[in-house]
Amino acid sequence: MKIEKVGLFGKFNDSSVSETLDAVRKIIEQQGLSVLIAETTAPSVQGPRIDTSQPVEEQIDLGIVVGGDGTMLNAARMLAEHDLPAIGVNLGRLGFLTDITVDDFDTALQSIRQGRYRKELRTLLRTTVLRDGETVYTGVSLNDAVISKGNSGRLIEFETRVNGQFVSHTRSDGVIVATPTGSTAYSLSAGGPIIYPNLSVFSMAPICPHTLSNRPIVLDEDAVIEISELYCPEVHANLVLDGVLTCELNGTETVRLEKSLKKLCLIRIESHNHFETLHDKLGWNG
């Protein structure tokens, strides 16, 4: 992988990370690389910016994302759209997506430039909301898509079909459709399975289902999931992608979920161990 131009992504408009971003940029420039700052990074971080009105892939060779996994989620959609790889630099505790510490960044970047790395292609989820046969919303997420009951204290009801085949009529607080990347996020707290990152599958987990036999299910990533016949008493239901409310649902919609045509290329240093990350984040070491 040839690296000459780097895009630097910081936490969305958060000036508190300016000092760290400046330190990371200095390391990048000391290695003879040019740096452009992502448009969403806080204005207090000085330097030329990525021009999103022009092809991003012509301006940078890869994105370096400084922050936590949430920062990576925001940057991932843009980087994947332009077929650009990503490196995650963590500001706090070890992250699932941002696994290089600031102290180790200089050495890690040198190793990556020397070819000592591996690529992980991460599946993204494409969500389409149709109302009366017309598309009213389309979005892409790296972790998950969630349909929830919103502010109602009552259960919502919905029907689920996979590849046109009826699966279930569910009464619950909602449903989570997660990628392997998102299997260790909200889906995990709802009882969903931990999925190894490079598997080509989705998981679908109900949130607090009224029928306890309604359990999470793992589906091939080529499956098309459709959720319809939504009934949410008193208020609208919510569609949330990667933790961000994107659309309110009034019950007349069909929500279609399928894999995106794009994938995120995540660059890992050779020493990265997914199971060590699980130990650290989930407390498996006791």
Side-chain angles (χ1 to χ4, degrees):
M1 179 175 60
K2 185 178 180 180
I3 305 173
E4 295 179 347
K5 302 169 291 183
V6 171
L8 189 58
F9 293 75
K11 189 174 181 181
F12 181 74
N13 283 339
D14 187 346
S15 60
S16 67
V17 299
S18 299
E19 185 176 341
T20 304
L21 284 169
D22 286 336
V24 170
R25 179 175 58 184
K26 184 176 181 180
I27 291 171
I28 297 169
E29 292 175 338
Q30 285 175 341
Q31 294 196 24
L33 307 176
S34 63
V35 180
L36 292 177
I37 309 299
E39 189 178 47
T40 56
T41 305
S44 57
V45 180
Q46 301 297 312
R49 300 263 163 167
I50 296 172
D51 183 357
T52 54
S53 68
Q54 302 297 322
V56 177
E57 65 274 17
E58 295 178 5
Q59 302 174 61
I60 61 175
D61 301 314
L62 96 156
I64 294 179
V65 182
V66 182
D69 284 352
T71 308
M72 177 63 83
L73 291 177
N74 290 326
R77 291 181 287 273
M78 174 184 180
L79 293 171
E81 177 65 26
H82 296 281
D83 297 314
L84 290 166
I87 298 172
V89 180
N90 197 277
L91 291 183
R93 294 176 298 173
L94 185 68
F96 286 107
L97 297 171
T98 53
D99 61 330
I100 301 172
T101 66
V102 175
D103 291 340
D104 294 336
F105 175 67
D106 192 2
T107 302
L109 183 58
Q110 290 183 46
S111 296
I112 291 168
R113 295 186 66 201
Q114 292 166 4
R116 300 200 301 273
Y117 66 90
R118 69 174 186 271
K119 296 180 179 180
E120 291 182 1
L121 294 179
R122 298 297 186 94
T123 297
L124 282 83
L125 183 65
R126 179 182 178 87
T127 301
T128 305
V129 179
L130 299 111
R131 191 175 290 144
D132 298 324
E134 298 290 332
T135 298
V136 296
Y137 176 80
T138 300
V140 174
S141 51
L142 177 59
N143 261 2
D144 50 37
V146 179
I147 295 176
S148 68
K149 64 180 184 177
N151 294 325
S152 173
R154 300 171 62 182
L155 299 177
I156 61 175
E157 301 182 31
F158 53 89
E159 289 190 357
T160 304
R161 286 177 170 79
V162 174
N163 297 332
Q165 297 180 339
F166 177 76
V167 176
S168 64
H169 181 94
T170 304
R171 298 181 69 232
S172 67
D173 282 354
V175 62
I176 305 166
V177 178
T179 67
T181 301
S183 70
T184 50
Y186 188 12
S187 176
L188 184 62
S189 68
I194 295 174
I195 302 173
Y196 200 73
N198 61 0
L199 293 180
S200 300
V201 296
F202 292 127
S203 66
M204 182 169 61
I207 306 170
C208 301
H210 186 261
T211 303
L212 295 182
S213 60
N214 193 326
R215 308 304 299 166
I217 184 170
V218 176
L219 301 165
D220 186 278
E221 71 168 19
D222 289 325
V224 177
I225 303 165
E226 290 187 327
I227 296 172
S228 61
E229 305 298 326
L230 182 67
Y231 174 65
C232 185
E234 303 167 357
V235 298
H236 289 167
N238 291 331
L239 173 65
V240 178
L241 303 186
D242 282 348
V244 179
L245 175 62
T246 58
C247 187
E248 289 190 338
L249 306 173
N250 62 27
T252 64
E253 302 87 356
T254 294
V255 181
R256 180 180 298 150
L257 306 111
E258 57 198 322
K259 72 176 181 182
S260 170
L261 296 179
K262 300 285 188 177
K263 292 200 175 190
L264 174 68
C265 178
L266 194 61
I267 302 298
R268 296 294 202 185
I269 56 176
E270 290 182 332
S271 61
H272 174 77
N273 185 319
H274 182 65
F275 295 107
E276 286 183 359
T277 305
L278 291 172
H279 293 163
D280 179 80
K281 296 289 282 187
L282 303 181
W284 284 1
N285 291 329

